[in-house]
């Protein structure tokens, strides 16, 4: 088995969860979305998680999973005869960067439709953390690879927001999972404005088909929609269709507060195609914190 990227402290012993096990379940998570407070050790190239404090823990972060998490379902039902999950793999480690401008807009990107994992979804920039790579360094590397943005040293602060248990395919009725990650969400606060950052963005056409700047109201509305707390009174009137989708049975005719930009390789990108896009890979607790609706336990660095 490859080097463990995610370790759990269970009854005082460090263990590497197997690919097929629900990390939330192993840490004692109950039914529902959570979040469940989790103690974390953020080490180079790996993440140590526990339901209680331990020597070397450096943060206490909310851990969540989607309501349709296939690993949670597999914990509670018999496996299909002949259906096998990888036995020689553990849980991988990923990082996602919620980049916030000095005027409080948050950047999201849409994955190209040709990617084999989570195509055409709106996500924060992010990806795998390399072996022996610091978690922040991994996030900034992924940000640069996907958007071309390199943040000047000393001109941003950052804070870890939360953890998300992610699977792909994300639902059992799509097939057995082929990928299993714990994703650490980082809020990276730039000292530059949205306009300054916008001028330097050069999306990688092999990964990014469009990008969007969300104002605080829209970020909060998306978070509320994804964690199940949305009511119609929470949503601004001028939300764009890509945020509203079919929720609430209403659509908006104006672009609203979001600024959506198609990458150069996607000439078919249109307002009609943006409607109904899903946000399945955006951790609602992290997005709520980025929008100022939830206070992170760590202070920005």
């Amino acid at each position: 088995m490859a080097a463990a990227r995610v370790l759990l402290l269970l009854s005082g012993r460090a263990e590497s969860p197997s690919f097929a096990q629900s990390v939330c379940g192993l840490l004692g998570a109950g039914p529902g979305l959570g979040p469940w407070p989790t103690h974390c050790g953020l080490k180079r190239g790996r993440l140590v998680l526990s339901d209680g404090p331990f020597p070397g823990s450096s943060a206490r972060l909310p851990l969540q999973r989607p309501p349709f998490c296939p690993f949670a379902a597999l914990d509670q039902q018999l496996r299909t005869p002949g259906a096998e999950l990888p036995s020689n793999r553990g849980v991988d480690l990923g990082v996602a960067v919620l980049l916030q401008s000095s005027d409080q807009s948050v950047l999201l990107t849409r994955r190209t439709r040709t990617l084999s994992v989570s195509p055409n979804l709106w996500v924060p920039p992010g990806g795998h953390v390399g072996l022996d790579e610091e978690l922040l360094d991994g996030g900034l590397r992924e940000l640069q690879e996907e958007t071309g943005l390199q943040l000047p040293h000393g001109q941003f602060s950052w804070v870890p927001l939360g953890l998300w248990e992610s699977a792909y395919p994300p639902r059992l009725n799509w097939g057995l999972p082929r990928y299993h990650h714990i994703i650490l969400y980082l809020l990276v606060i730039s000292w530059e404005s949205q306009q300054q950052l916008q001028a330097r963005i050069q999306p990688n056409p092999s990964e990014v088909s469009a990008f969007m700047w969300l104002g605080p109201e829209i970020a909060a509305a998306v978070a509320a929609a994804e964690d199940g707390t949305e009511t119609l009174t929470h949503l601004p009137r001028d939300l764009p269709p890509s945020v509203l989708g079919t929720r609430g049975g209403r659509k908006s005719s104006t672009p609203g507060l979001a600024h959506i930009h198609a990458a150069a390789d996607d000439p078919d990108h249109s307002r009609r195609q943006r409607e109904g896009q899903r946000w399945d890979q955006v951790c609602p607790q992290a997005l709520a914190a980025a929008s100022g609706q939830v206070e992170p336990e760590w202070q920005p660095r």
Side-chain angles (χ1 to χ4, degrees):
M1 181 182 290
R5 312 303 303 281
V6 176
L7 292 174
L8 306 184
L9 283 180
L10 304 173
S11 301
R13 294 179 54 189
E15 301 179 17
S16 174
S18 72
F19 180 92
Q21 292 177 297
S22 166
V23 172
C24 289
L26 289 171
L27 290 172
L33 287 171
W36 300 282
T38 304
H39 295 264
C40 312
L42 311 177
K43 297 182 180 294
R44 185 181 291 270
R46 69 177 187 176
L47 189 66
V48 182
L49 304 176
S50 175
D51 59 359
F54 60 91
S57 64
S58 51
R60 186 170 178 262
L61 300 175
L63 170 66
Q64 288 183 279
R65 63 186 176 195
F68 44 80
C69 176
F71 296 108
L74 288 169
D75 278 351
Q76 301 173 27
Q77 67 183 51
L78 294 175
R79 304 285 170 85
T80 304
E84 296 293 336
L85 290 169
S87 59
N88 60 346
R89 286 168 56 189
V91 178
D92 287 319
L93 177 60
V95 64
V97 170
L98 285 165
L99 175 64
Q100 185 181 73
S101 66
S102 61
D103 43 359
Q104 295 189 310
S105 292
V106 175
L107 177 68
L108 291 183
T109 60
R110 192 175 71 177
R111 292 169 62 82
T112 62
R113 61 172 63 93
T114 57
L115 289 172
S116 59
V117 177
S118 300
N120 214 37
L121 286 184
W122 288 99
V123 295
H128 285 280
V129 177
L131 287 172
D132 296 325
E133 186 175 39
E134 294 287 357
L135 297 173
L136 175 63
D137 293 342
L140 294 178
R141 173 183 52 75
E142 289 286 348
L143 175 68
Q144 182 177 5
E145 290 176 1
E146 293 179 18
T147 70
L149 282 174
Q150 185 172 11
L151 302 184
H153 180 71
Q155 295 190 31
F156 65 89
S157 58
W158 67 279
V159 59
L161 293 180
L163 303 161
W164 184 252
E165 185 164 16
S166 173
Y168 192 83
R171 302 170 186 264
L172 277 181
N173 60 0
W174 293 14
L176 287 174
R178 301 194 306 272
Y179 299 92
H180 189 180
H181 286 81
I182 292 294
I183 300 174
L184 173 67
Y185 278 75
L186 302 178
L187 173 62
V188 175
I189 305 169
S190 173
W191 297 1
E192 296 179 275
S193 68
Q194 175 193 321
Q195 185 176 13
Q196 290 172 304
L197 295 167
Q198 170 74 26
R200 303 207 313 275
I201 289 183
Q202 296 181 329
N204 180 345
S206 66
E207 296 188 54
V208 175
S209 63
F211 61 94
M212 171 189 284
W213 290 98
L214 302 183
E217 285 185 292
I218 293 183
V222 172
E226 290 303 315
D227 71 8
T229 62
E230 174 197 329
T231 67
L232 292 180
T233 57
H234 290 162
L235 296 176
R237 294 181 180 179
D238 57 352
L239 281 176
S242 56
V243 173
L244 284 175
T246 58
R247 293 186 176 101
R250 63 190 183 103
K251 294 181 180 290
S252 169
S253 61
T254 61
L257 301 175
H259 304 278
I260 304 175
H261 304 265
D265 73 319
D266 193 7
D268 295 328
H269 184 71
S270 68
R271 178 169 172 266
R272 177 183 57 81
Q273 289 173 310
R274 290 196 301 267
E275 294 186 5
Q277 290 297 323
R278 292 290 309 202
W279 306 80
D280 300 54
Q281 302 298 311
V282 180
C283 173
Q285 183 81 6
L287 197 55
S291 70
Q293 303 300 305
V294 174
E295 289 295 328
E297 293 196 21
W298 269 21
Q299 294 302 310
R301 293 171 179 263

